[in-house]
């Protein structure tokens, strides 16, 4: 077995499932998600700083996902997602293996979690739209949790999600097709496959800007835009996600940091996603 690469072993396992059948083996394979052009597994495509990635699904049976353009602007989490969720510790372990980190590897001590965390935080923050100060504030406020004594085991807040492949969610909720494309402002992957979507709503979610002869900003309520937003929420909930929305106005108020911190404290406590107590 040691002479075979992971991709080769997985392909063999897929053939076993197809020809013989094994529910347990099928579940293990499902955790790996779609494969990229070089054979790696890509459960998450996120934190874009440029044009959207162009993707094709070459093989609908084995979920062979090829990124044909703009991959250099995105991050790809290429490790199996387990029932433990995705924590900051997982992200720090993965980050030095990426091409994005390779370009700065000589500038940071990869053995220092604090230094490593700064570079990953900087890269993730770069993807949060500069045109959305409320989203930036939410991200900054949440990420301050990583500085706590138990911060490395906090759930990671994933920004600007372009794709989240969750085969368990699709199977359990009756989803169709092998590829699940979603656009999310932020995503938390908690223990026991709890999926939390956080959206930050600006005026453009429920109103349209109107031209004003005086050059002043004018917005008119747009029921059709609001309907699209709530329809997307329903679709996400039917797929097994929990959806929470913040208003942009709310996040720009003086008490916003306290509001956000309290929200996440309660959310993670209710979801039983708090790090285990220290044994030291």
């Amino acid at each position: 077995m040691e002479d075979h690469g992971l991709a080769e072993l997985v392909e063999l396992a897929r053939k076993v499932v197809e020809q013989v059948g094994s529910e347990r083996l099928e579940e293990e394979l499902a955790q790996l998600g779609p494969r990229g052009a070089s054979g790696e597994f890509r459960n998450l495509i996120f934190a874009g700083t440029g044009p959207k990635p162009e993707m094709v699904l070459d093989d609908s049976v084995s979920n062979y996902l090829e990124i044909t353009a703009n991959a250099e602007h995105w991050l790809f989490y290429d490790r199996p997602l387990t029932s433990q969720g995705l924590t900051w510790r997982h992200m720090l372990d993965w980050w030095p293996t990426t091409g994005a980190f390779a370009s700065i590897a000589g500038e940071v001590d990869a053995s220092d979690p604090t230094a490593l965390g700064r570079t990953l935080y900087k890269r993730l923050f770069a993807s949060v739209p500069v045109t959305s100060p409320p989203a930036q504030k939410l991200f900054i406020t949440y990420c301050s949790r990583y500085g706590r004594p138990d911060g490395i085991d906090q759930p990671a807040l994933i920004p600007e999600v372009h794709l989240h492949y969750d085969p368990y969610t699709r199977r359990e909720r009756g989803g169709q097709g092998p590829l699940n494309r979603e656009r999310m402002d932020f995503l938390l992957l908690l223990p026991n496959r709890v999926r939390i979507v956080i959206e930050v709503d600006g005026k453009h979610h429920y109103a349209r800007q109107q031209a004003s002869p005086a050059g002043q900003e004018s917005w008119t309520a747009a029921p059709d835009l609001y309907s699209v937003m709530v329809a997307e929420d329903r679709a996400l909930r039917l797929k097994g996600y929990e959806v929470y929305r913040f208003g942009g106005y709310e996040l720009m108020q003086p008490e916003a940091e306290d509001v956000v911190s309290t929200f996440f404290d309660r959310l993670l406590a209710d979801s039983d996603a708090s790090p285990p107590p220290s044994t030291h």
Side-chain angles (χ1 to χ4, degrees):
M1 298 288 281
E2 294 180 357
D3 296 332
H4 300 279
L6 176 60
E8 185 178 353
L9 292 175
V10 169
E11 192 60 37
L12 177 61
R14 291 185 188 277
K15 291 180 180 179
V16 170
V17 169
E18 291 171 9
Q19 298 177 16
V20 180
S22 169
E23 184 175 346
R24 181 173 179 179
L25 186 56
E26 183 178 4
E27 289 182 353
E28 293 295 330
L29 289 171
Q31 285 285 12
L32 295 174
R35 288 177 296 171
S38 60
E40 68 271 27
F41 302 97
R42 290 173 172 174
N43 295 79
L44 278 172
I45 299 178
F46 63 102
T49 56
K52 294 180 180 179
E54 296 181 12
M55 299 179 291
V56 295
L57 193 63
D58 284 347
D59 185 341
S60 62
V61 175
S62 350
N63 298 333
Y64 190 88
L65 176 66
E66 182 179 0
I67 311 298
T68 58
N70 302 324
E72 68 274 16
H73 302 295
W74 294 80
L75 297 180
F76 306 91
Y77 190 79
D78 52 5
R79 296 185 175 181
L81 298 174
T82 72
S83 61
Q84 299 304 308
L86 184 60
T87 67
W88 190 237
R89 183 189 298 274
H90 292 138
M91 294 289 285
L92 292 182
D93 186 56
W94 156 84
W95 174 233
T97 70
T98 67
F101 180 80
S103 63
I104 60 169
E107 306 171 14
V108 60
D109 180 3
S111 66
D112 180 354
T114 301
L116 198 62
R118 289 195 191 101
T119 62
L120 177 55
Y121 170 82
K122 183 178 179 179
R123 172 60 184 82
L124 295 177
F125 182 73
S127 72
V128 182
V130 67
T131 54
S132 180
Q136 290 183 325
K137 176 168 285 189
L138 184 144
F139 186 71
I140 292 169
T141 302
Y142 181 88
C143 290
S144 67
R145 303 176 72 93
Y146 303 147
R148 298 178 178 181
D150 61 1
I152 197 168
D153 290 311
Q154 291 286 322
L157 184 65
I158 309 300
E160 294 298 303
V161 176
H162 180 70
L163 178 148
H164 172 220
Y165 179 86
D166 185 347
Y168 279 93
T169 293
R170 291 184 66 75
R171 185 177 64 232
E172 293 169 358
R173 302 296 187 266
Q176 300 297 317
L179 190 60
N180 187 10
R181 285 187 175 87
E182 308 291 355
R183 191 273 173 197
M184 308 169 187
D185 286 346
F186 300 102
L187 176 66
L188 287 166
L189 302 175
L190 305 184
N192 303 314
R193 300 192 180 94
V194 174
R195 275 57 173 135
I196 305 291
V197 176
I198 308 293
E199 297 288 346
V200 176
D201 298 336
K203 293 179 181 178
H204 63 282
H205 286 85
Y206 51 81
R208 285 191 177 87
Q209 188 171 12
Q210 305 296 320
S212 172
Q216 297 178 338
E217 186 178 88
S218 175
W219 293 79
T220 301
D224 59 321
L225 294 180
Y226 177 77
S227 296
V228 169
M229 182 177 69
V230 295
E232 290 174 350
D233 281 2
R234 291 196 303 270
L236 279 172
R237 291 191 178 105
L238 289 173
K239 292 175 182 176
Y241 296 88
E242 297 180 25
V243 182
Y244 296 90
R245 290 186 175 274
F246 283 86
Y249 176 85
E250 175 186 18
L251 290 173
M252 297 311 292
Q253 301 309 301
E255 67 277 11
E257 291 185 13
D258 289 339
V259 169
V260 172
S261 295
T262 300
F263 165 77
F264 281 113
D265 285 343
R266 293 187 59 183
L267 175 69
L268 299 182
D270 291 345
S271 301
D272 195 25
S274 300
S278 175
T279 57
H280 299 293

